């Protein structure tokens, strides 16, 4: 709009100089129509060339990535201490919040006690195998002795050297000894199976107890929240006495990271026809009136939310008159690629110079960018 007004103004001054100031031509209806149509086509041509060969937008923002700080505690837990203040820079690993840990310390101690008990039980299982094997050996010895007695009395009874009742007793004892051997063998197998219940060479009960210890230790660790990386918490609303955990699923703070910010500007889709990565860019940020920063196109985000249909049971409702979505262009600034001096959300204008249409197209757009930058000294008009 600014460029169009400037062109109209320049053309109007030119017409005034020709027809009124120097009176090179006499103004009449015919010359009026010619002047109008020439001006209209010049304006139209310039606007079209600017839109495609030097696309421009006032919808640009510095984007900083955020991390949602959400306590991962299974029970309602009291916030005990807050170690960070509003907008305070912190380093990775600095303490942010401390929650009351009595319950989780007790659960850890209980889990550690269960682990010790499970380890002792694993040792007992080894001894159970030895005991079962000893019992099997004794049962086999009893069976062997009973079998010999049965054989001896089987030879003596027909010769009158022993009574039939004695043979019957030893026969019954042999049957009982065989039953004891079978029971002892089953006990050995049972004890061996108990010992063989392992996960990666560790007794199953010990592994389960160890897992409980690790889970309890995890929740103890979660009672202290540390900074995930360098950054700051912009709005510090959490205060001691806040209860989190249980059914709470929302975060308690937004952590703004220092690393990997980027400048994102949105353009109408058709204006990106000749835009490619690596082309020069100028950016004018509202936070720095009068300054224009140079940069390059890093990437074009070729997609918008209008190109997504989320899975659902509803038939899509296509609104044909809905305004088109813009495409975002990621821009890297030459002066400060890490954007250390630019806060997240900083707004500004951006122009991309594709090199098409001649140098005068770029010159007009550069004038436009500098007008935007200098007008930021007085806009908005609140004093």
């Amino acid at each position: 709009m600014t460029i169009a007004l400037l062109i109209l103004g320049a053309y109007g001054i030119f017409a005034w100089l020709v027809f009124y100031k120097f009176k090179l031509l006499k103004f009449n209806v015919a010359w009026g129509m010619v002047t109008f149509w020439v001006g209209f086509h010049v304006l139209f041509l310039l606007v079209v060339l600017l839109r495609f060969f030097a696309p421009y937008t006032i919808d640009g923002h510095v984007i900083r990535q955020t991390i949602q700080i959400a306590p991962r505690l299974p029970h309602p837990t009291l916030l005990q201490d807050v170690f960070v203040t509003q907008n305070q820079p912190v380093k990775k690993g600095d303490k942010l919040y401390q929650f009351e840990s009595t319950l989780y310390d007790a659960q850890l101690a209980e889990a550690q006690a269960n682990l010790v008990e499970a380890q002792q039980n694993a040792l007992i299982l080894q001894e159970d195998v030895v005991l079962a094997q000893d019992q099997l050996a004794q049962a086999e010895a009893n069976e062997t002795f009973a079998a010999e007695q049965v054989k001896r009395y089987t030879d003596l009874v027909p010769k009158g050297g022993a009574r039939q009742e004695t043979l019957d007793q030893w026969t019954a004892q042999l049957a009982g000894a065989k039953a004891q051997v079978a029971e002892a063998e089953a006990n050995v197998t049972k004890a061996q199976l108990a010992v063989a219940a392992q996960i990666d060479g560790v007794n199953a009960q010990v592994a389960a107890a160890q897992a409980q210890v690790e889970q309890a230790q995890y929740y103890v660790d979660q009672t202290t929240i540390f900074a995930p990386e360098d950054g700051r918490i912009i709005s510090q609303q959490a205060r001691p006495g806040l209860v989190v955990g249980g059914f709470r699923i929302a975060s308690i703070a937004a952590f703004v990271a220092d690393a990997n910010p980027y400048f994102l500007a949105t353009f109408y889709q058709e204006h990106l026809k000749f835009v490619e990565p690596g082309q020069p860019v100028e950016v004018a940020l509202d936070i720095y009136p009068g300054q224009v920063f140079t940069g390059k196109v890093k990437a074009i985000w070729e997609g918008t939310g209008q190109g997504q249909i989320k899975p659902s049971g509803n038939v899509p409702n296509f609104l044909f008159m809905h305004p088109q979505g813009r495409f975002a262009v990621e821009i890297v600034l030459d002066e400060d690629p890490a954007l250390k001096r630019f806060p997240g959300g900083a707004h500004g204008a951006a122009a991309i110079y594709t090199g098409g249409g001649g140098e005068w197209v770029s010159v007009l757009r550069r004038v436009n960018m500098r007008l935007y930058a200098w007008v930021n000294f007085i806009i908005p008009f609140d004093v």
Side-chain angles (χ1 to χ4, degrees):
M1 179 61 71
T2 305
I3 287 295
L5 293 176
L6 287 175
I7 295 172
L8 286 176
Y11 187 72
I13 293 174
F14 172 77
W16 177 77
L17 290 174
V18 170
F19 292 109
Y20 295 100
K21 178 65 176 178
F22 300 108
K23 297 182 179 180
L24 300 177
L25 295 173
K26 184 178 180 180
F27 185 80
N28 52 36
V29 175
W31 278 114
M33 294 181 62
V34 170
T35 303
F36 170 78
W37 282 108
V38 170
F40 175 79
H41 285 86
V42 169
L43 177 63
F44 178 78
L45 180 62
L46 290 177
V47 169
V48 170
L49 292 177
L50 282 170
R51 284 160 60 97
F52 286 94
F53 294 125
Y56 167 83
T57 182
I58 59 171
D59 186 23
H61 296 86
V62 175
I63 308 297
R64 290 193 174 275
Q65 301 183 50
T66 60
I67 300 173
Q68 303 303 310
I69 304 298
R72 295 173 290 274
L73 298 171
H75 307 292
T77 309
L78 186 71
L79 177 58
Q80 211 168 42
D81 295 297
V82 176
F83 301 104
V84 64
T85 59
Q86 299 274 9
N87 206 34
Q88 173 189 340
V90 295
K91 296 294 184 181
K92 181 178 181 179
D94 288 351
K95 274 188 177 182
L96 300 180
Y97 304 100
Q98 178 64 57
F99 295 91
E100 208 276 327
S101 63
T102 302
L103 172 62
Y104 303 102
D105 289 335
Q107 291 178 341
L108 176 60
E110 181 183 6
Q112 290 172 335
N114 292 337
L115 175 60
V116 172
E117 182 180 3
Q119 291 171 338
Q120 293 300 318
N121 290 337
L123 296 176
I124 292 173
L125 291 178
Q126 296 286 352
E127 296 301 322
D128 288 344
V129 173
V130 175
L131 178 60
Q133 289 174 341
D134 292 341
Q135 292 175 346
L136 174 60
Q138 183 179 359
E140 289 175 341
N142 292 337
E143 181 187 15
T144 300
F145 180 74
E148 292 177 351
Q149 291 295 91
V150 168
K151 181 179 179 182
R152 180 180 299 112
Y153 281 97
T154 300
D155 294 337
L156 292 175
V157 168
K159 300 176 181 178
R163 293 183 300 175
Q164 182 64 39
E165 292 83 356
T166 304
L167 175 59
D168 294 339
Q169 289 177 355
W170 281 113
T171 302
Q173 289 184 15
L174 176 59
K178 289 181 178 180
Q180 291 178 353
V181 169
E183 182 180 2
E185 288 175 343
N187 289 336
V188 169
T189 302
K190 183 178 178 181
Q192 290 174 337
L193 290 174
V195 171
Q198 297 181 350
I199 299 176
D200 296 331
V202 180
N203 178 266
Q205 293 182 353
V206 174
Q210 181 64 47
Q212 291 297 321
V213 170
E214 293 174 358
Q215 183 184 57
Q217 183 65 60
Y218 170 81
Y219 287 126
V220 170
D221 294 341
Q222 294 307 310
T223 58
T224 304
I225 296 181
F226 300 92
E229 55 182 282
D230 295 352
R232 66 189 66 206
I233 293 179
I234 298 298
S235 178
Q236 175 53 272
Q237 301 300 323
R239 291 292 181 269
L242 175 70
V243 176
V244 302
F247 294 102
R248 184 184 180 93
I249 59 175
S251 58
I252 63 173
F255 184 88
V256 181
D258 288 343
N260 303 322
Y262 53 93
F263 186 84
L264 209 62
T266 62
F267 294 82
Y268 288 112
Q269 299 175 20
E270 57 270 20
H271 294 177
L272 298 176
K273 178 178 177 61
F274 302 108
V275 174
E276 295 179 358
Q279 291 177 341
V281 177
E282 285 188 335
V283 173
L285 293 173
D286 298 352
I287 196 173
Y288 293 111
Q291 289 184 256
V292 176
F293 304 92
T294 60
K296 290 182 176 60
V297 174
K298 181 179 180 180
I300 302 173
W301 293 13
E302 297 184 355
T304 69
Q306 292 175 327
Q308 178 186 23
I309 298 179
K310 298 180 180 179
S312 70
N314 300 324
V315 176
N317 184 16
F318 299 101
L319 302 176
F320 294 101
M321 300 303 293
H322 193 72
Q324 62 164 294
R326 293 188 174 197
F327 282 169
V329 176
E330 186 175 344
I331 297 169
V332 179
L333 299 184
D334 297 331
E335 179 180 339
D336 186 6
L339 299 177
K340 292 182 179 179
R341 57 182 291 203
F342 305 119
H347 171 267
I352 303 174
Y353 302 102
T354 65
E359 182 61 26
W360 61 272
V361 176
S362 298
V363 170
L364 286 177
R365 184 60 78 196
R366 292 180 194 277
V367 172
N368 189 184
M369 288 296 297
R370 280 146 186 82
L371 283 172
Y372 179 92
W374 285 99
V375 168
N376 281 333
F377 277 112
I378 59 174
I379 293 178
F381 296 102
D382 52 342
V383 294

